[in-house]
Amino acid sequence: MEKHLTRIALFAALIAALGLLPKLTLTSGIPITAQSMGIMLAGTILGARNGALSVLLFLFLVALGLPLLAGGRGGLGVFFGPTLGYLIGFAIGAYVTGLVAERFTNRMSFVAALSGAVVGGIVVVTICGIIGMAVMMDVSLVTATGFALPFIPGDLIKAGITAAITAAFWKARPSLANAA
Amino acid sequence: MIGALSARPTALHRVSAGVKLVVLCVFCTGVSMAGWPGAGWVGLACVLLGGLALGPWFAGLILRDLKGPAFIAALIFGFQWVAGRFDLGVSLAGTLLACISAAMMLSRTTSPAELLDVIDGWLARLRLPRKYRQRLALAIALTLRFIPAISGRADVLRLAHLARSPKRAGWRLVTPLAIGTLDEADQAADALRARAHIE
Amino acid sequence: MIEAARPSETSPVRVTLEDVSLAIDGRQVFERLSLDLTPGHVGLIGRNGAGKSQLLRMIAGLVTPDSGQVRVDGFDPAKDRRRATATIGFVFQNPDHALLFPTVIEELSFGPKAQGATKAQAEQVADDLLVRFGVPAWRDRLVHSLSQGQKHLLGLMAACTNGPKLLILDEVFAGLDLPTSRSLRHILNGLGMARIEANHDLAALAGCDRVLRIAGGAVGDDGAADPVIARYMSEMEALPLAPGAL
Ligand SMILES: Nc1ncnc2c1ncn2[C@@H]1O[C@H](COP(=O)(O)OP(=O)(O)OP(=O)(O)O)[C@@H](O)[C@H]1O
Ligand SMILES: [Mg+2]
């Protein structure tokens, strides 16, 4: 019990700390932050349930007013914008990331983590984000998809890094792969 | 707890967090459901006037919080206008800004700890078993305790990398950071187990 | 229970191990170890990796042995966690891992609260403890902002919040300067609780009523402090200084 609790809590802290790392800016000018990689990592390293719980915990702290989102944003206000779908998608995405990775014999191999991160961390998060934008901005799904597309290349890079980190993680702590 | 809370007190700091949360919900629902394009802007004006009443510096604080959202609101408005839906654009942008400004007003005047107490009280009334509420409170405290520790660790790793490599560390830090976080979590679990019986 | 942090000089604790075996990641650390302790002040010595920390963790009920029985005052500390956390205080070597809360008051009121005290009662326990340790001004300090030595003291205080009969100390003085470790030791002596303590600073164990030396997964030497420590020292000084000896 204690182990689940502390892992959930400390990964929420890791997601917050990753928001403080410097941004990378792609040639397209779209900035990508390490924070959304934290979401994928929560799914690949902690597994579906604990990963999703740690993302929910992180979001809850943001809602309480702590400035933990990348760029120092926090407070209930962030849940009213068109990015609401993405925030919800983070929690679902972490869950699906873990779920997909767990289909493989070794859930922490590069391929398993990459599949999880792409399906959960990109497809699911982006779909939630698109629906969110369509609802909040009152535009069609096609239009909202247009808004979401520029972020995909950055997300693919992040999924690749996530998979590499997860595989390195598994080498360093092999027993973790069994005990999700 | 740190956070968006403004250190300089206002009259609104003294209002109970529960009341503010309920008012926020009612306000946002009202503004979104009004069905009249100007509703959001009237709502926004009310919030800003309220902020002004608490002190011009406080209204300034809220206005600064609205900088990012204002950009998004302008985008939404512009997009809808081009699509020939001027009224909808006005309404969406106004609602967005009204809700965000009201929410920021709450976050700026309410400490996270107080907000948590209110939510914990509501969860208790909803008959959520004590053990779950205990775990939530514990998880929040642990997260807050370890955020500075983990970002401090990132700084140490950056220096260690700098000492041995001419390249910038950047995201290379994330692997040791994640491994360190997991180890730290397992040590914390030990300490937790030594200190208390968690159901 | 809530009447915490009172040293109980009266009834001594009895710690027994019967045929205890423990393996970690397939490595046998202890094999059929039996012990009967009634601290006082018991010292634990042995080389790095000898198993001192694992033994202490078994006594505190933090790890469960693969076979055999551990009993503290007749109960199984790994099973009966509520009693274990009320009876045994564990002070970790590194307070950075053991301190779990953002502020000092939260840190110290956590134990009593988890034992069932109300928030007000728990904070009362914490306040009493702060006064008793002479640092009432720390109440609302951020744990993060304390110095390393101060964190060690807070770690000790946190282990005392439930008024334990037995304190377990795993190299709690490593890395502290002389005045800090001396004053911590002075405070510990004043608490009057039974203690089991692992320490590489042999001089610090000179006052123990009994010292055990752990070697090869068993008790290698056992008895009064001075002779056990003296035998250990002469043996260690005879070891070759090659990297292979690490
Ligand atoms: N987390 C762990 N995973 C695998 N093996 C471990 C772990 N912790 C301890 N061990 C092993 O258990 C044995 C006993 O370790 P323990 O930490 O109890 O030694 P110690 O006497 O406390 O040493 P030290 O003086 O260095 O603290 C060692 O051989 C060690 O390799
Ligand atoms: Mg040790």
Side-chain angles (χ1 to χ4, degrees):
Chain A
M1 183 61 240
E2 292 90 358
K3 224 166 213 174
H4 293 295
L5 188 77
T6 53
R7 284 182 179 176
I8 291 166
L10 266 74
F11 261 72
L14 177 68
I15 296 171
L18 287 178
L20 303 172
L21 284 189
K23 283 183 201 162
L24 292 182
T25 306
L26 298 185
T27 39
S28 61
I30 301 268
I32 59 176
T33 70
Q35 189 158 62
S36 48
M37 204 167 71
I39 309 292
M40 297 180 187
L41 281 171
T44 60
I45 293 175
L46 294 190
R49 177 179 167 275
N50 285 355
L53 285 174
S54 93
V55 174
L56 279 176
L57 177 60
F58 169 75
L59 293 175
F60 187 64
L61 285 167
V62 170
L64 285 183
L66 296 159
L68 304 178
L69 278 180
R73 291 172 306 134
L76 279 172
V78 301
F79 291 89
F80 287 103
T83 49
L84 173 65
Y86 279 99
L87 297 179
I88 296 172
F90 284 164
I92 304 174
Y95 190 82
V96 175
T97 301
L99 215 56
V100 170
E102 282 156 21
R103 300 280 126 207
F104 291 74
T105 32
N106 173 8
R107 69 174 185 95
M108 293 181 77
S109 69
F110 185 89
V111 177
L114 187 67
S115 315
V118 169
V119 177
I122 302 181
V123 176
V124 171
V125 169
T126 305
I127 288 176
C128 292
I130 288 171
I131 295 174
M133 285 191 286
V135 172
M136 304 292 278
M137 300 167 70
D138 215 329
V139 295
S140 72
L141 286 173
V142 178
T143 315
T145 308
F147 294 142
L149 284 181
F151 295 97
I152 301 288
D155 284 344
L156 284 169
I157 296 176
K158 278 185 267 195
I161 301 179
T162 299
I165 292 174
T166 308
F169 207 114
W170 175 64
K171 285 221 181 79
R173 300 288 179 272
S175 57
L176 190 66
N178 320 319
Chain B
M1 284 198 229
I2 29 115
L5 175 67
S6 138
R8 194 167 150 188
T10 67
L12 209 54
H13 281 70
R14 287 194 299 273
V15 178
S16 103
V19 172
K20 282 186 277 193
L21 259 180
V22 171
V23 170
L24 177 69
C25 280
V26 172
F27 175 83
C28 291
T29 315
V31 166
S32 331
M33 297 291 194
W36 169 61
W41 297 97
V42 172
L44 176 66
C46 291
V47 173
L48 290 178
L49 282 176
L52 208 58
L54 294 171
W57 64 273
F58 188 76
L61 199 62
I62 298 294
L63 276 178
R64 236 169 302 141
D65 287 335
L66 284 180
K67 245 193 231 160
F71 178 72
I72 295 170
L75 271 183
I76 295 177
F77 169 71
F79 184 84
Q80 296 289 3
W81 192 13
V82 170
R85 301 190 288 181
F86 180 85
D87 276 10
L88 185 62
V90 170
S91 155
L92 284 173
T95 310
L96 177 77
L97 291 177
C99 290
I100 291 182
S101 61
M104 281 322 294
M105 196 133 149
L106 180 141
S107 295
R108 288 290 187 194
T109 59
T110 315
S111 95
E114 198 188 338
L115 212 48
L116 179 62
D117 278 346
V118 169
I119 292 166
D120 187 57
W122 289 355
L123 291 178
R125 217 171 290 173
L126 291 173
R127 320 235 156 180
L128 187 73
R130 193 182 120 87
K131 66 176 179 186
Y132 294 115
R133 291 186 289 125
Q134 186 194 16
R135 284 183 204 167
L136 177 66
L138 192 53
I140 288 173
L142 281 167
T143 307
L144 294 179
R145 151 77 174 81
F146 280 97
I147 289 171
I150 292 173
S151 41
R153 196 189 178 86
D155 290 335
V156 172
L157 286 170
R158 191 172 302 142
L159 289 180
H161 188 274
L162 204 62
R164 292 191 295 178
S165 160
K167 282 201 221 122
R168 265 189 54 207
W171 289 16
R172 252 177 288 268
L173 294 178
V174 178
T175 306
L177 202 58
I179 295 175
T181 300
L182 187 93
D183 289 345
E184 197 132 26
D186 291 352
Q187 279 152 345
D190 243 8
L192 196 57
R193 195 165 149 73
R195 294 264 294 280
H197 174 67
I198 307 293
E199 289 166 84
Chain C
M1 218 192 296
I2 290 145
E3 172 75 357
R6 297 269 164 258
S8 44
E9 287 101 353
T10 43
S11 60
V13 242
R14 176 146 180 234
V15 177
T16 56
L17 279 77
E18 250 182 68
D19 283 334
V20 165
S21 300
L22 175 73
I24 301 177
D25 286 348
R27 240 182 121 255
Q28 200 69 34
V29 182
F30 290 110
E31 184 123 37
R32 300 180 70 89
L33 175 72
S34 293
L35 270 180
D36 193 335
L37 303 171
T38 318
H41 186 183
V42 170
L44 226 49
I45 58 177
R47 299 201 53 194
N48 291 128
K52 302 178 295 295
S53 298
Q54 294 305 331
L55 177 58
L56 292 176
R57 288 154 52 92
M58 280 198 295
I59 294 173
L62 300 181
V63 284
T64 317
D66 302 322
S67 63
Q69 285 196 331
V70 179
R71 292 285 179 272
V72 175
D73 271 354
F75 71 89
D76 179 347
K79 285 246 173 62
D80 193 346
R81 290 307 301 158
R82 197 171 282 286
R83 253 182 101 181
T85 50
T87 314
I88 308 166
F90 199 110
V91 189
F92 291 83
Q93 170 175 350
N94 189 344
D96 283 323
H97 298 147
L99 298 174
L100 302 171
F101 294 87
T103 62
V104 170
I105 184 72
E106 285 172 277
E107 191 70 55
L108 295 179
S109 52
F110 168 64
K113 245 193 284 182
Q115 294 284 351
T118 66
K119 193 174 172 199
Q121 288 168 324
E123 291 194 354
Q124 189 57 50
V125 171
D127 282 327
D128 288 349
L129 208 61
L130 284 163
V131 170
R132 225 152 64 76
F133 279 78
V135 286
W138 285 9
R139 193 182 192 281
D140 296 308
R141 283 278 294 271
L142 289 175
V143 169
H144 193 63
S145 74
L146 297 176
S147 80
Q148 207 56 23
Q150 292 171 329
K151 283 184 192 164
H152 273 268
L153 182 59
L154 184 60
L156 173 59
M157 292 165 73
C160 291
T161 50
N162 294 342
K165 289 167 78 176
L166 172 65
L167 266 189
I168 295 184
L169 306 139
D170 191 0
E171 275 161 59
V172 292
F173 301 102
L176 291 183
D177 71 9
L178 201 57
T180 311
S181 63
R182 276 187 56 200
S183 45
L184 269 180
R185 188 160 288 288
H186 177 74
I187 291 168
L188 272 173
N189 288 335
L191 290 176
M193 292 172 203
R195 264 183 282 168
I196 305 180
E197 170 176 1
N199 206 326
H200 287 296
D201 177 10
L202 301 176
L205 294 181
C208 290
D209 349 292
R210 184 174 170 191
V211 172
L212 305 179
R213 174 174 162 202
I214 309 296
V219 177
D221 199 357
D222 182 358
D226 290 346
V228 174
I229 292 174
R231 281 194 288 270
Y232 180 62
M233 288 244 294
S234 57
E235 207 175 300
M236 290 304 111
E237 277 159 9
L239 285 177
L241 293 175
L246 290 180

